[in-house]
């Protein structure tokens, strides 16, 4: 990719690394998420493969300089295809003592630390809990420490920009970004063009950040320690095509738009703001020109009720939330499955129970998704495996909802929702198509029967208001299996209970068989679902390269399971189920298939690291 | 679309199962008569309810209908109206459904000015659960759940709706079919949300709660009929309502003369006068206003939503999925 550097870097011996993990860490007000996102775009433009992981505090602004206020962004760049944001960072950028203290333990031995020395003064050291200055007291022995007085150098750089006062120091993230751009040979254009575009209406901000970026870059060239710590991460050999960098909340929004188009229905998204799902609402609210109606409701219960109303009225109705909101929506989801109306419920899971860890990831809503309703209330549940996969999974959720006239839960999580990966853009002309067919005519000799089912899908007709002659009532009371009228007849209730279950099971008839990717010699099968995909994949591949006989399957469909899952599980002596919960899928597999699964559980609000999976695979095979 | 109907056209096949003598029968008949007169195409009408005795209502209307969840009818109706602004959407609810478990959805539907007409059947008791005090029961009410008398202070539904920024608020009485139909008509003609409180007698658990307003011998002295543009007088013109320093009170017309009697204006932008009128009675005991308290025009939510969709489409053109997939920066691997 052609780039213009300003000024041109002097020829230098860059150390070749196949992969590097970098973590930007600073105070929440230091702009680390922004710096990380800019470095990500520059890395994508350079041609690396990459994966990212933001890690920010739940508080909007925790007290400055404290440990709870530290915000971090990790990026893994590599020359060959990679799957995770990386286990241990090779490079840590620490904008203050708290950022150093909180992240130092994760850094690889001998790793590079870039510090803003201006923030290592008495007050900030005390806030971080350092009695002495770690730069001077030997704490950092064994690391490659690079220091810069970033406050001073940023002030100096931006003095002619027109930005004054406290706003001056807001540019210091761009100073750090400039130094990193030098260190990793990133194209400057990507960042500077973005700045010019983003702040077009504030030329002084463009000037200040551009000046800080260049000052950081030049500091890298001219400062000896920096000048000799430079890396070359080769371009990746990725499949040919057009790429973009996506986070899961965005791809779910896009997938819902695509799903509505495939169903030939207007999209209606009703939601109540909740971390980490709100960005789906934000993204969809920007796309009203698709006919998308977004509705910010008064509460979680209202949002799913509004979605139910929109579904009855003939729209592709979706509501989105996180765990606490899913709990509140449960009663209305039961109504949707009783009334047999199509709806998609997106759950971007976070650490629970209760308010739990709002900004951290977890997979602990699986049981609630499958069983968490009163009465016998089965509904289809599917899960996205990565930000890119979330696009297809959202389309699939829409397909099942419309075809089977049922609420469908789409599970994502904080990691998928907020982390990014390069995504090979799909051919939009080749996306699935599943036009919804509204009932328009009387379907029975005795009049319109709203519960007369399609014999194959067991789906009932969708007659929407405005259709003359098909006026009917739906509701939460048990209904006669044909007329839909209220019925307390004992045999009818049992029949309807079974029909609702059979309808959910019927979804298995048109979902693909699960395929085992790796060699058939495996003794151990690792079964995953959701956002653990990348870590499990990497862990399994690493294990296989060291001769361990292990295979991996990853489930998108969790209720019902793929039709051949029983056969696949039966083919292995050992089944390992890594999950960011206390073994929820593991229990489901045991209950459903009577297989002796081993659960591998992690409950830290963080994704699995590939190394953890690899170690567990080796341990399980050896046991 | 308009059509010609009779009341029977709005009667569904389901057997009506309220207790004999329930006020709901009269309201059902009034609504069916109104619908036949209004001429809205049957297929364009949706009745939505929550849970409670009143919530059976949609099953008895030969229109589209949703019998939803306790308290949630305004939310479901909001979704229907926002998705399909051309439909005529009606909510049937009760005092427990609307004001207790569903209070939040009620106030938000009103303030948003959704084009949803809310009929609040107020019988001041929980009927379906067999006789507990409700959020409109009078203090001291003895019920199964309040054997020593209720210590809950009740809502005044009209006051509440006015405080919730409702653009149309009215009150009527189940037994007065003509007045009910008049209120339904006005609510239907009003653009946006409308709340009609209907005093509804529960002859099983709270009989004669509104007897002062309905009994032949007392109704003249207790019914204050609000008529837009007219002086508020009642009891054969002997009494009137005056408003002074934000407070409404009953005066003797002969003694004070007509000049001090307030002329009702439902269209006032400031809801203070309507609120003052709503405070004339509690319970209701004594002279109680019925009629339209407030009827003002304001932006209707779903029309604004549609306007945003139109203006976004005009500005950006119809959505192009391939384009939004490229809204972040893209790069090509050759």
């Amino acid at each position: 990719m052609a780039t213009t550097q300003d000024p041109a870097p002097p020829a230098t011996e860059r150390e070749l690394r196949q992969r590097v993990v970098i973590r930007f860490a600073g105070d929440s007000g230091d702009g680390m998420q922004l710096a990380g996102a800019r470095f990500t775009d520059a890395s994508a433009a350079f041609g690396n493969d990459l994966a990212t992981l933001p890690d920010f505090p739940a508080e909007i602004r925790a007290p400055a300089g404290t440990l709870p206020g530290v915000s971090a962004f990790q990026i893994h760049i590599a020359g060959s295809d990679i799957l995770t944001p990386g286990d241990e960072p090779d490079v840590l950028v620490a904008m203050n003592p708290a950022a150093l203290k909180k992240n130092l333990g994760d850094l690889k031995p001998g790793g590079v630390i870039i510090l803003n020395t201006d923030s290592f003064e008495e007050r900030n050291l005390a806030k971080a809990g350092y009695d002495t200055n770690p730069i001077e007291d030997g704490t950092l022995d064994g690391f490659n420490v690079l220091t810069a007085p970033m406050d001073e150098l940023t002030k100096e750089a931006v003095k002619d920009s027109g930005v004054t006062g406290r706003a001056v120091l807001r540019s210091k993230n761009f100073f750090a970004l400039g130094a990193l751009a030098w260190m990793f040979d990133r194209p400057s254009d990507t960042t500077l063009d973005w700045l010019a575009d983003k702040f077009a209406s504030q030329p002084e901000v463009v000037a200040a950040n551009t000046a800080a970026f260049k000052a950081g870059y030049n500091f890298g060239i001219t400062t000896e320690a920096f000048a000799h710590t430079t890396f070359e991460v080769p371009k990746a050999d990725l499949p040919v095509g057009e790429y973009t960098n996506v986070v899961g909340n965005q791809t779910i929004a896009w997938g819902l738009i695509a799903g509505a188009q495939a169903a030939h229905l207007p999209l209606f998204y009703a939601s109540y703001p909740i971390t980490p799902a709100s960005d789906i609402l934000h993204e969809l609210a920007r796309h009203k020109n698709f006919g998308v109606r977004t509705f910010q409701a008064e509460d979680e219960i209202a949002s799913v009720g509004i979605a139910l109303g929109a579904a009855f009225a003939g729209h592709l109705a979706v509501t989105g939330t996180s765990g606490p909101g899913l709990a509140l929506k449960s009663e209305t989801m039961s109504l949707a499955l009783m009334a047999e109306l199509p709806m998609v419920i997106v759950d971007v899971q976070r650490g629970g129970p209760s308010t739990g860890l709002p900004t951290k990831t977890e997979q602990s809503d699986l049981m609630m998704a499958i069983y968490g309703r009163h009465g016998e209330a089965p509904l289809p549940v599917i899960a996205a495996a990565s930000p890119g996969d979330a696009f297809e999974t959202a389309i699939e959720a829409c397909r099942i909802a419309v075809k089977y006239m049922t609420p469908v839960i789409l599970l994502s999580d904080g990691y998928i929702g907020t982390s990014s990966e390069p995504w090979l853009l799909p051919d939009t002309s080749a996306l699935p198509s599943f036009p919804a067919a509204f009932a328009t005519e009387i379907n029975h000799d005795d009049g319109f029967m709203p519960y007369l089912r399609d014999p194959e899908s067991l789906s009932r007709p969708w007659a929407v208001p405005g259709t003359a002659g098909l006026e009917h009532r739906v509701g939460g009371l048990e209904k006669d299996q044909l007329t839909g009228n209220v019925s307390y007849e004992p045999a009818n209730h049992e029949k309807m209970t079974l029909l609702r279950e059979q309808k959910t099971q019927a979804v298995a008839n048109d979902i693909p068989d699960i395929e085992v990717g790796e060699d058939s010699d495996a003794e151990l099968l690792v079964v995953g679902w959701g956002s653990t995909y990348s870590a499990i994949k990497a862990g399994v591949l690493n294990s296989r390269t060291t001769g361990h006989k292990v295979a991996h399957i990853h489930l998108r469909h969790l209720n019902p399971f793929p039709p051949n899952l029983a056969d696949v599980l039966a083919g292995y002596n050992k089944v390992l189920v890594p999950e960011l919960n206390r073994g929820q899928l593991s229990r489901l597999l045991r209950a459903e298939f009577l297989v002796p699964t081993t659960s591998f559980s992690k409950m830290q609000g963080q994704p699995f690291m590939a190394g953890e999976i690899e170690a567990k695979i080796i341990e399980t095979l050896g046991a | 679309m308009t059509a010609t109907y009779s009341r029977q056209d709005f009667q569904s096949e389901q057997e009506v199962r309220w207790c004999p003598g329930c006020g709901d029968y009269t309201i059902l008949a009034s609504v069916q008569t109104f619908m036949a007169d209004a001429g809205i195409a049957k297929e364009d009408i949706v009745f939505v309810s929550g849970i409670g005795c009143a919530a059976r209502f949609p099953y008895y209307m030969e229109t589209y209908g949703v019998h939803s969840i306790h308290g949630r009818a305004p939310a479901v109706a909001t979704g229907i109206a926002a998705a399909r602004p051309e439909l005529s959407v009606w909510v049937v609810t009760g005092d427990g459904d609307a004001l207790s478990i569903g209070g939040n959805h009620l106030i938000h539907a009103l303030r948003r000015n959704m084009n949803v007409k809310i009929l609040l059947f107020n019988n001041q008791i929980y009927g379906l659960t067999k006789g507990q005090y409700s959020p409109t029961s009078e203090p001291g009410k003895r019920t199964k759940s309040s054997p020593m008398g209720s210590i809950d202070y009740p809502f005044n539904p009209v006051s509440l709706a006015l405080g919730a920024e409702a653009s149309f608020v009215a009150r009527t009485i189940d037994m007065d079919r003509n007045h009910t139909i008049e209120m339904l008509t006005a609510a239907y003609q009003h653009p946006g949300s409308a709340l009609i409180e209907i005093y509804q007698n529960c002859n099983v658990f709270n009989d004669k709660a509104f007897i002062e307003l309905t009994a032949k011998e007392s109704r003249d002295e207790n019914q204050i009929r609000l008529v837009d543009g007219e002086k508020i007088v009642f009891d054969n013109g002997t009494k009137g309502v005056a408003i002074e320093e934000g407070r409404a009170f009953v005066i003797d017309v002969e003694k004070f003369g007509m000049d001090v009697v307030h002329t009702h204006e439902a269209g006032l932008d400031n809801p203070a006068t309507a609120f003052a009128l709503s405070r004339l009675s509690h319970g209701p005991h004594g002279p109680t206003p019925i009629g339209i308290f407030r009827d003002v025009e304001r932006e209707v939510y779903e029309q604004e939503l549609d306007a945003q969709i139109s203006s976004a489409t005009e500005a950006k053109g119809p959505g192009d999925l391939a384009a939004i997939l490229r809204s972040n920066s893209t790069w090509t691997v050759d």
Side-chain angles (χ1 to χ4, degrees):
Chain A
M1 189 164 290
T3 62
T4 54
Q5 299 290 11
D6 180 22
T12 178
E13 278 295 306
R14 289 180 175 271
E15 183 188 336
L16 184 69
R17 292 274 188 98
Q18 282 305 319
R19 56 192 61 246
V20 174
V21 177
I22 303 158
R23 188 180 293 175
F24 296 83
D27 203 58
S28 334
D30 283 343
M32 292 295 96
Q33 301 302 324
L34 190 146
R38 293 303 98 224
F39 192 84
T40 303
D41 266 16
S43 297
F46 178 83
N48 291 140
D49 195 5
L50 60 90
T52 72
L53 175 64
D55 179 17
F56 40 84
E59 295 79 13
I60 299 301
R61 283 287 156 85
T66 61
L67 291 170
V70 173
S71 172
F73 185 99
Q74 184 162 310
I75 175 168
H76 184 180
I77 53 174
S80 56
D81 84 313
I82 53 169
L83 296 151
T84 76
D87 295 358
E88 301 164 313
D90 302 284
V91 177
L92 171 66
V93 179
M95 299 299 280
N96 68 5
L100 178 70
K101 182 144 194 179
K102 193 160 173 184
N103 292 287
L104 185 61
D106 296 339
L107 195 62
K108 263 190 201 142
V112 177
I113 304 175
I114 300 167
L115 296 174
N116 173 16
T117 46
D118 284 336
S119 70
F120 282 71
E121 42 76 42
E122 211 168 315
R123 249 179 90 237
N124 280 326
L125 289 168
K127 280 189 201 167
Y130 280 122
D131 295 331
T132 55
N133 190 338
I135 304 177
E136 294 156 2
D137 67 7
T139 303
L140 305 182
D141 288 355
F143 294 105
N144 181 4
V145 181
L146 306 178
T147 60
M150 294 191 200
D151 289 13
E152 279 315 307
L153 294 169
T154 302
K155 278 184 199 164
E156 178 63 22
V158 310
K159 68 177 191 292
D160 297 328
S161 65
V163 170
T164 55
R166 298 179 62 174
V168 164
L169 285 181
R170 287 201 195 122
S171 292
K172 72 182 167 195
N173 56 341
F174 276 89
F175 183 94
L177 195 57
L180 268 284
W182 154 253
M183 185 176 280
F184 289 96
D185 195 19
R186 305 289 94 168
S188 299
D189 285 1
T190 317
T191 303
L192 299 181
D193 290 352
W194 178 88
L195 267 174
D197 183 51
K198 179 83 178 173
F199 297 106
S201 61
Q202 295 163 275
E204 71 286 0
V205 175
V206 178
N209 286 331
T210 302
F213 180 86
K214 287 183 178 172
Y217 197 96
N218 293 339
F219 186 81
I221 296 172
T222 53
T223 312
E224 190 161 347
F226 274 82
H228 290 99
T229 311
T230 55
F231 302 95
E232 181 191 342
V233 180
K235 293 179 184 189
D237 187 17
L238 295 166
V240 169
E242 191 179 5
Y243 284 79
T244 189
N245 210 20
V246 287
V247 298
N249 279 338
Q250 202 171 29
T251 43
I252 283 184
W254 296 347
L256 293 172
I257 291 174
Q261 287 189 343
H264 296 190
L265 295 173
L267 178 62
F268 195 118
Y269 186 81
S271 183
Y272 184 73
I274 185 169
T275 302
S278 303
D279 279 343
I280 301 174
L281 173 63
H282 304 162
E283 179 66 20
L284 287 171
R286 296 173 55 223
H287 299 304
K288 290 214 163 67
N289 61 323
F290 283 79
V292 175
R293 281 169 178 76
T294 54
F295 198 112
Q296 183 177 317
E298 61 270 25
D299 60 35
E300 293 283 358
I301 298 174
S303 67
V304 67
I306 289 165
L308 186 135
F312 183 73
H315 282 215
L316 182 66
V318 184
T319 184
T321 189
S322 188
L326 192 69
L328 287 166
K329 292 180 197 298
S330 143
E331 189 184 12
T332 310
M333 285 156 52
S334 294
L335 174 61
L337 78 89
M338 192 70 163
E340 303 190 39
L341 288 168
M343 184 192 292
V344 175
I345 302 102
V346 182
D347 175 14
V348 187
Q349 301 164 95
R350 65 191 214 186
S354 191
T355 311
L357 304 173
T359 60
K360 311 294 179 196
T361 200
E362 206 161 274
Q363 297 183 296
S364 47
D365 294 348
L366 178 61
M367 284 294 193
M368 178 163 69
I370 292 182
Y371 295 122
R373 286 163 298 283
H374 63 285
E376 292 289 348
L379 50 72
V381 178
I382 65 174
S386 70
D389 181 65
F391 180 75
E392 272 180 50
T393 312
I395 297 174
E396 172 69 351
C398 298
R399 183 189 72 83
I400 296 173
V402 169
K403 176 168 180 184
Y404 294 91
M405 290 289 282
T406 180
V408 176
I409 294 180
L410 166 55
L411 293 172
S412 174
D413 62 27
Y415 178 41
I416 293 174
T418 59
S419 67
S420 73
E421 67 174 4
W423 182 46
L424 179 59
L425 287 173
D427 175 1
T428 46
S429 65
L431 293 175
S433 175
F434 39 85
F438 291 142
T440 53
E441 285 167 9
I442 304 282
N443 58 356
H444 193 273
D445 291 345
D446 297 330
F448 177 59
M449 298 295 159
Y451 283 79
L452 183 64
R453 290 169 195 281
D454 177 86
E456 203 173 305
S457 66
L458 300 179
S459 179
R460 74 172 189 88
W462 192 5
V464 301
T467 315
L470 306 191
E471 293 85 0
H472 67 283
R473 277 63 60 193
V474 298
L477 285 169
E478 185 60 282
K479 44 197 54 57
D480 178 83
Q481 56 187 288
L482 185 63
T483 64
N485 287 340
V486 175
S487 168
Y488 289 94
E489 216 263 303
N492 179 72
H493 177 53
E494 182 153 301
K495 172 84 175 168
M496 287 297 273
T497 303
L498 295 176
L499 271 171
R500 287 186 285 266
E501 181 180 312
Q502 287 156 7
K503 188 173 84 160
T504 301
Q505 288 304 317
V507 173
N509 296 336
D510 65 356
I511 60 179
D513 273 347
I514 199 89
E515 281 177 38
V516 185
E518 289 76 18
D519 301 355
S520 54
D521 64 345
E523 292 164 15
L524 170 65
L525 180 68
V526 184
V527 183
W529 69 278
S531 71
T532 52
Y533 173 79
S534 52
I536 294 176
K537 190 88 194 161
V540 167
L541 289 177
N542 292 346
S543 310
R544 288 194 66 85
T545 55
T546 52
H548 294 91
K549 294 181 173 175
V550 56
H552 173 209
I553 60 170
H554 214 75
L555 301 175
R556 172 183 283 176
H557 295 90
L558 295 160
N559 193 39
F561 286 124
N564 68 331
L565 184 57
D567 294 341
V568 169
L569 292 173
Y572 297 88
N573 298 326
K574 293 177 177 176
V575 176
L576 178 66
V577 189
E579 295 175 87
L580 301 174
N581 63 38
R582 290 295 299 139
Q584 298 188 14
L585 177 64
S586 179
R587 279 171 193 241
L588 287 173
L589 295 177
R590 283 170 166 257
E592 194 79 9
F593 304 109
L594 291 174
V595 290
T597 59
T598 302
S599 170
F600 179 34
S601 170
K602 180 174 179 180
M603 305 292 300
Q604 298 174 16
Q606 296 291 339
F608 276 116
M609 294 190 281
E612 292 172 330
I613 301 285
E614 191 179 347
K616 189 68 185 179
I617 287 170
I618 293 166
E619 180 198 317
T620 310
L621 277 169
Chain B
M1 177 178 165
T2 55
T4 312
Y5 295 114
S6 69
R7 192 184 133 199
Q8 285 70 33
D9 289 322
F10 287 94
Q11 294 171 343
S12 78
E13 286 176 3
Q14 289 238 326
E15 183 194 348
V16 184
R17 287 195 185 166
W18 288 308
C19 307
C22 177
D24 288 357
Y25 284 94
T26 325
I27 304 172
L28 178 63
S30 297
V31 171
Q32 286 168 338
T33 305
F34 158 73
M35 284 297 173
D37 293 346
I40 315 160
K42 259 191 345 182
E43 64 269 22
D44 290 339
I45 301 167
V46 188
F47 273 83
V48 185
S49 64
I51 297 294
C53 294
R56 291 293 184 102
F57 202 95
Y59 288 120
Y60 308 140
M61 291 295 296
E62 186 52 37
T63 64
Y64 283 91
V66 182
H67 178 209
S68 74
I69 299 173
H70 204 14
R72 317 303 168 205
V76 174
T78 290
I80 296 169
R84 302 275 305 279
E86 77 279 16
L87 298 173
S88 180
V89 185
W90 298 74
V91 165
V92 174
T93 183
D95 39 312
D97 193 54
L99 300 175
S100 197
I101 192 167
N104 200 30
H105 310 306
L106 178 77
I107 58 175
H108 289 280
L110 292 176
R111 82 168 162 87
R112 286 193 189 104
N113 209 26
M114 305 301 306
N115 193 14
V116 168
K117 316 304 177 188
I118 300 169
L119 313 182
L120 198 173
F121 296 12
N122 182 7
N123 56 16
Q124 304 186 341
I125 199 77
Y126 280 88
L128 197 65
T129 49
K130 302 190 176 173
Q132 298 83 8
Y133 65 95
S134 91
T136 54
S137 297
E138 66 276 18
K141 187 167 196 70
R142 291 178 190 274
T143 69
K144 285 176 197 160
S145 59
S146 57
M148 297 172 69
S150 165
I151 52 175
D152 264 26
Y153 194 78
F155 273 131
N156 175 328
V158 169
S159 301
L160 180 77
L162 290 167
E165 305 292 351
S167 58
F168 181 102
V169 186
R171 177 187 286 147
T172 189
I173 302 169
D174 54 1
M175 286 177 68
D176 192 336
R177 289 184 52 181
N178 288 337
H179 192 262
T180 301
I181 290 169
E182 201 186 309
M183 294 302 103
L184 293 169
T185 307
Y188 172 61
Q189 287 165 352
H190 169 79
S193 67
L195 179 109
I196 306 178
E197 180 189 18
I198 307 175
Y199 285 148
Q200 176 246 321
N201 192 45
C202 172
N203 58 322
V204 175
F205 294 108
N206 200 21
D207 197 20
K208 301 191 168 59
F210 309 103
I211 194 74
E212 291 171 41
L213 293 181
T214 54
K216 221 174 204 163
E217 59 279 12
S218 59
R219 69 185 178 206
D220 283 352
E221 63 191 73
N222 285 321
Q223 278 192 20
I224 306 173
R225 300 222 161 200
L226 302 176
V227 181
D228 196 35
E230 293 186 11
K231 296 271 187 188
I232 306 176
V233 290
F234 64 104
D235 205 1
N236 302 311
T238 60
K239 289 178 188 149
V241 174
I243 295 184
E244 213 174 86
E245 292 179 347
R247 199 173 67 87
F249 47 93
V250 173
I251 59 159
D252 186 328
V253 171
E254 268 182 45
K255 199 168 161 187
F256 294 95
M258 280 298 272
D259 283 356
V260 297
V261 175
H262 180 73
T263 301
H264 184 51
E265 291 176 90
L268 288 180
D269 187 49
N270 188 331
T273 314
F275 189 82
L277 291 170
S278 77
R279 309 308 287 176
L280 268 171
S281 78
H282 259 293
H285 299 292
T288 300
I290 64 168
I292 299 165
F293 288 76
R294 178 171 170 79
D295 183 359
V296 296
E297 284 209 22
R298 202 172 74 220
E299 291 77 10
V300 176
Y301 185 97
E302 54 267 45
Q303 288 169 5
E304 299 277 294
L305 179 58
D306 270 10
Q308 287 195 343
I309 288 172
S310 301
S311 69
T313 309
E314 217 167 274
K316 298 196 224 171
D320 175 3
L321 183 64
I324 59 164
L325 299 187
R326 288 163 178 80
S327 48
N328 306 339
S329 52
T330 66
W331 68 95
T332 302
V333 173
D334 303 316

